[in-house]
Amino acid sequence: DGGITQSPKYLFRKEGQNVTLSCEQNLNHDAMYWYRQDPGQGLRLIYYSQIVNDFQKGDIAEGYSVSREKKESFPLTVTSAQKNPTAFYLCASSYFDSPYGYTFGSGTRLTVV
Amino acid sequence: QKEVEQNSGPLSVPEGAIASLNCTYSDRGSQSFFWYRQYSGKSPELIMFIYSNGDKEDGRFTAQLNKASQYVSLLIRDSQPSDSATYLCAVSYSGAGSYQLTFGKGTKLSVIP
């Protein structure tokens, strides 16, 4: 079955540590997105990528980095520069020229300990 | 700046009643409109999308779009406790050949048994 997989489901980060969240899709979607969601808040766009080896900053890119070496994969690294990383992180994907919305992964909940 | 506004709620309705969720958007060039349902701790799932002015019905759900008023709504008939969730309105616009979504912050719906 086609879908989008995020791992791990839960992640704990120590102060000053970099962590990487995985996002893999087998939907043959061109575009991939990373969002952050805080309690009671909407989705805030961190980064997005429309094609391999290219990505763009979203509204809250500071303290995060991404790569898009393969069409299927779009990992997100939360760096030590992100001072308040505790949040629910959502990965999504879509066709580049399709107006049919996004498919979301199941999310990763990151907690700083 | 493209904006999507929703009443954060909570909106409480008795079981069996009609729940009405509203959304306004700022960009007149917006082309597609989506409603996602998000249960607590879970990722958003697409329940309806609409492109043309008027109503679109799918089971107990009806999406209504009025482009002149820049207004989209979701009606849930015969509301059930299982409909209790946060409903995200999303609006897509076409930029550089791709369709990107802008999300509202969501309306929390509570269906009281």
Side-chain angles (χ1 to χ4, degrees):
Chain A
D1 288 339
I4 182 168
T5 302
Q6 289 188 242
S7 63
K9 189 171 183 178
Y10 299 97
L11 187 58
F12 298 91
R13 191 193 95 166
K14 294 181 180 179
E15 295 282 351
Q17 190 178 45
N18 292 354
V19 292
T20 297
L21 284 59
S22 172
C23 179
E24 304 273 338
Q25 54 96 3
N26 60 2
L27 299 166
N28 200 32
H29 283 171
D30 310 289
M32 298 185 74
Y33 311 84
W34 274 106
Y35 286 90
R36 169 179 173 146
Q37 189 175 39
D38 295 283
Q41 300 296 312
L43 304 178
R44 292 189 288 169
L45 182 63
I46 305 172
Y47 270 99
Y48 66 97
S49 169
Q50 296 175 337
I51 56 173
V52 174
N53 292 323
D54 186 56
F55 47 83
Q56 307 296 327
K57 292 182 178 180
D59 301 320
I60 56 164
E62 185 175 351
Y64 300 96
S65 66
V66 294
S67 63
R68 187 87 185 276
E69 298 177 359
K70 299 186 300 181
K71 186 176 184 179
E72 301 81 14
S73 179
F74 191 41
L76 173 74
T77 296
V78 184
T79 75
S80 57
Q82 172 50 243
K83 297 306 178 188
N84 185 23
T86 295
F88 187 46
Y89 290 86
L90 287 160
C91 181
S93 67
S94 70
Y95 289 113
F96 182 78
D97 58 355
S98 168
Y100 294 112
Y102 297 171
T103 300
F104 282 90
S106 57
T108 293
R109 189 164 300 280
L110 174 62
T111 303
V112 173
V113 296
Chain B
Q1 180 77 2
K2 299 172 177 61
E3 295 182 346
V4 178
E5 299 287 341
Q6 295 181 255
N7 187 324
S8 62
L11 173 65
S12 294
V13 299
E15 183 175 355
I18 296 175
S20 177
L21 305 163
N22 304 314
C23 172
T24 59
Y25 59 94
S26 63
D27 183 12
R28 285 193 173 275
S30 299
Q31 297 166 301
S32 306
F33 307 86
F34 303 84
W35 285 99
Y36 285 85
R37 177 176 62 200
Q38 186 176 25
Y39 291 113
S40 181
K42 303 295 184 182
S43 63
E45 56 178 325
L46 181 66
I47 54 173
M48 290 284 291
F49 60 88
I50 186 167
Y51 309 131
S52 305
N53 275 330
D55 295 358
K56 179 181 179 182
E57 187 174 318
D58 184 1
R60 296 186 295 111
F61 298 95
T62 299
Q64 299 176 317
L65 175 61
N66 184 327
K67 288 188 175 182
S69 300
Q70 295 176 245
Y71 176 91
V72 59
S73 64
L74 179 70
L75 301 179
I76 306 175
R77 291 183 300 281
D78 189 23
S79 295
Q80 301 297 309
S82 59
D83 295 325
S84 297
T86 296
Y87 289 80
L88 302 174
C89 173
V91 175
S92 83
Y93 61 96
S94 176
S98 69
Y99 291 83
Q100 295 192 20
L101 298 188
T102 299
F103 288 87
K105 293 185 176 181
T107 298
K108 187 173 183 178
L109 172 66
S110 180
V111 180
I112 310 301

